[in-house]
Structures are given as structure tokens and as C-alpha cells.
Amino acid sequence: MREAIELAQRGMGFVSPNPMVGAVIVRDGEVIGRGYHKKYGDLHAERAAFADCEARGVDCSGAEMYVTLEPCCHHGKQPPCTEAIIGHGIKCVYVGSSDPNPLVAGKGVQELRDNGIEVVEGVLKDECDAINEIFFKFITKHLPFVTMKYAMSMDGKIACRTGESKWITGEEARLNVQRDRLRHAAIMVGVGTVLKDDPMLTCRLEGGRNAIRVVCDSSLRTPLTSNVVCTAKTVPTIIATLESDVAVTQPYIDMGCTILSMRGKNGRPDLRQLMKTLSSLGIDSVLLEGGGELNWSALESGIVDKVQTYIAPKIIGGVGAKSPVAGLGADKPDNGFMLEPVAVRHFGEDILIESRVKYVHGNN
């Protein structure tokens, strides 16, 4: 199953909004076939594993299959994987995660059992669930999975008093950020980040895929000469704004940007409504790379699912140096946003703490 998980992750960034899935076929303790879902619309992992066997002339009847997600039992871009499993004479299927998709949701497992195939569920379930947290939210709640990411010094600073922020963390941590840019369907920043850094917000991994760029810009101050606007015809760029005057928005549209004229909340685009709109566009996940104001607004609106905190072993200091979350802030410690630790990892000298946001009454 761990090999199936590793295979599944090879599809990261290319299968969205489908889940990442890997499959391994085994006979007498030996792997005879491997497959994974490579890209949206392509073969599902189970059929890819069967194709691997067929390409090498291996008969897989009577073998066992390990698959990270419950096999589908409905027609979509591909035919049902349950049909292929039954047709190839697999005798036992080991499943990692149950599929919450209402079109599957236990029906795939039941169909296999109804056809005399033994099914063992929950194999490395937590590890299999972890690779598809984006898919699970999107398919059940029809909203993007939102990850808030920031890097800070040991004393909680995201920039020096001069505004200089390159680089807080080291090369290995920054490489992992590129992997997360690949994993998420969209990257979102506030206009302040665009004005300050003029970022490209692209994925710099070899063979990678650029995420859709989303800029929250209440009064449409994003410069027409900025990198995100100038490259909008090659990298999809959405600007969420309160501005609706065609004379103001048309130049951005001419440059290739998509303008979403939103209703406002506290003088800014309503982030809850923005998430619904992004979902309707097929965007299943958002990596939040904004500054302190956008981070607070996102938490306050209740859209953040996970927080990624990179901590560098350095002290920057300075009363005027910025912190990762700004805004009004909580009125007392008990009303702060609670985080549930998920994992702690090391990248060179830097530490990454990943936590899920635990919303309670009073802060959402």
C-alpha cells in the first residue's frame, strides 16, 4: 500500500479535481503490475495497473490488488474500475480510503463483494486519506480546500522593518513551497503583495504546472504593468474586486485577466462568496500566499482549512517588522483561532508545522 501511495502522489497537480490514486497488483508476494492516475481524463489507477500487466504479457487473474481509494463503480471520463477488477479475475482488493463521492460511497466495495471478491478496507487509511484531503472536501462540500502558508522568523516576523522579506527560509523550504504550488489549483494573494513584491506566482519545478493566480483587489489597484497582469494570457489570472465599472475593468480583461466583480464585506471582496465562485469554476484548492491582512480576513471568514507555518532559526526583531497575521485580531486569547497539530517536518535548518484550523463559536 505504501508503494501505491507513492505512485498516487506522482499525479499531484495534474489530476485535479479528481483524487490522486495509486494501485499495485500482487501475486505470491511479488508485484506484477503498477499504475496511477496520471492526469485528469486519463486511465484510473486500477486500469493503468492492468495495462501495465498487459504490456508485459502478465496474467493477473487470481492476484490481489492494493489501491489507495475505493474503486469507482460509475461511468465518468473513464468506465467503472470495478468492472475491470471483476473482469480481470482479481481475488482480493485491499483498499486504503473510502470514497466519499456520493456516486461511489461504499457502492464500489459492495459491488466487488457481490461478485465474490474479498475486500479488506482501511489499509493505511490515515496515510491514504492525507493525500486526498483536497478531493474529500471538494466532493463533499463543493468548496476549495484552503491552505494558508507563511514563513516567519523564530520571533514571528515575516519581513524586516525595511519590508525586506527575501529570504526568511532556506532553499529546501522554498522548494517545498513550489511542490505545494503544484498541488493546489490556485494561488491567492492580496493586492498589497502584488504592489510590494510584483511576484510571478508560478511553479518553478521542472515539468510542473502553473496554478491559477487569484488577486484580491478591492479597488482594482493592481498595475497593468505588473507581472501577474502582463503574463495573464499564458498563466490564468483572476482578480476579485468590488469594482464593476467596465471602463476600469476592461483594460485588465484585454490583458487576459478574468475580473470577478464581487459583493463586499468590510470593504473587501466577500471571501466566502469568492470560494463558492472559484468552486463553480472547478478550482478545488487554494494556496493562500498573502500578507497579514488577507490572512486575518481569511481566518475571520472561516475559509481556511490548514495552516502551514515555516519557522526559520533566526531572530529579526523590530517593533515595525510585520507579523504573519494582522487585521483587528482577537479581543482575548480564548477567542484566538485554535490549531490542531498535524505534522512537524524539517527542511534543512527550517521547520514546517502543518495544522488544521479548529473553528469554534465566537471566531467563525
Side-chain angles (χ1 to χ4, degrees):
M1 186 62 83
R2 284 204 169 89
E3 182 169 354
I5 291 171
E6 188 278 327
L7 287 167
Q9 291 174 311
R10 295 183 188 181
M12 183 174 68
F14 299 99
V15 301
S16 172
N18 280 354
M20 292 183 281
V21 185
V24 174
I25 302 173
V26 177
R27 177 185 284 117
D28 300 326
E30 296 291 329
V31 174
I32 61 173
R34 299 174 175 85
Y36 68 97
H37 188 30
K38 292 183 178 179
K39 62 180 180 179
Y40 180 70
D42 207 347
L43 288 177
H44 288 184
E46 298 92 326
R47 289 181 178 273
F50 290 132
D52 182 41
C53 288
E54 291 165 5
R56 293 183 291 107
V58 177
D59 179 11
C60 53
S61 59
E64 301 174 332
M65 173 176 279
Y66 291 78
V67 61
T68 57
L69 183 69
E70 178 181 0
C72 67
C73 54
H74 63 95
H75 284 269
K77 294 278 184 182
Q78 294 289 330
C81 290
T82 49
E83 286 184 3
I85 293 170
I86 295 164
H88 282 84
I90 295 295
K91 69 175 184 179
C92 180
V93 178
Y94 295 88
V95 176
S97 299
S98 299
D99 191 340
N101 184 343
L103 295 174
V104 185
K107 302 183 188 75
V109 164
Q110 190 59 49
E111 184 174 330
L112 295 178
R113 286 176 172 151
D114 289 345
N115 282 273
I117 297 173
E118 181 184 358
V119 180
V120 179
E121 298 182 79
V123 180
L124 296 185
K125 175 176 167 51
D126 290 346
E127 293 175 48
C128 291
D129 286 353
I131 63 174
N132 279 315
E133 59 187 358
I134 288 173
F135 170 73
F136 290 164
K137 180 181 179 184
F138 191 67
I139 200 68
T140 57
K141 297 188 177 181
H142 309 293
L143 289 170
F145 186 94
V146 179
T147 302
M148 188 175 84
K149 183 274 298 181
Y150 56 82
M152 69 181 190
S153 62
M154 198 74 84
D155 58 333
K157 304 298 183 182
I158 61 172
C160 298
R161 58 180 174 77
T162 59
E164 184 61 44
S165 60
K166 294 183 178 179
W167 295 104
I168 297 291
T169 52
E171 209 168 297
E172 289 184 44
R174 298 200 299 274
L175 177 60
N176 194 58
V177 171
Q178 296 302 314
R179 295 190 190 101
D180 278 315
R181 285 186 175 185
L182 175 63
R183 182 184 180 98
H184 291 74
I187 301 172
M188 189 164 82
V189 299
V191 66
T193 297
V194 175
L195 293 173
K196 175 179 170 291
D197 298 331
D198 193 21
M200 284 290 292
L201 301 176
T202 51
C203 178
R204 294 188 285 276
L205 294 177
E206 185 177 351
R209 167 208 46 83
N210 289 322
I212 296 169
R213 301 177 299 200
V214 181
V215 180
C216 291
D217 183 356
S218 303
S219 54
L220 212 48
R221 294 184 293 140
T222 300
L224 289 169
T225 56
S226 65
N227 281 322
V228 290
V229 175
C230 289
T231 59
K233 290 184 178 179
T234 55
V235 182
T237 302
I238 295 171
I239 302 179
T241 181
L242 304 183
E243 182 62 68
S244 58
D245 187 339
V246 175
V248 179
T249 61
Q250 192 61 48
Y252 293 91
I253 296 172
D254 293 341
M255 293 287 282
C257 297
T258 297
I259 298 295
L260 297 180
S261 294
M262 312 289 299
R263 68 173 184 238
K265 186 174 183 180
N266 299 323
R268 296 185 174 95
D270 185 330
L271 294 182
R272 281 180 176 270
Q273 183 59 43
L274 177 57
M275 292 304 109
K276 291 178 182 178
T277 302
L278 295 181
S279 174
S280 71
L281 297 174
I283 295 173
D284 66 358
S285 52
V286 176
L287 181 61
L288 201 59
E289 292 197 21
E293 294 294 334
L294 182 58
N295 285 346
W296 174 256
S297 294
L299 285 166
E300 196 175 33
S301 66
I303 67 168
V304 180
D305 295 288
K306 177 190 279 187
V307 176
Q308 291 183 323
T309 305
Y310 289 88
I311 303 175
K314 61 183 71 170
I315 291 177
I316 290 176
V319 174
K322 292 186 176 181
S323 297
V325 182
L328 181 61
D331 57 351
K332 55 184 179 180
D334 284 349
N335 287 338
F337 292 91
M338 299 301 296
L339 303 177
E340 297 179 323
V342 172
V344 178
R345 291 189 282 164
H346 291 262
F347 294 94
E349 295 181 340
D350 303 315
I351 299 170
L352 168 60
I353 301 175
E354 291 186 308
S355 308
R356 295 296 292 263
V357 182
K358 183 180 180 181
Y359 290 105
V360 295
H361 180 71
N363 63 20
N364 180 15

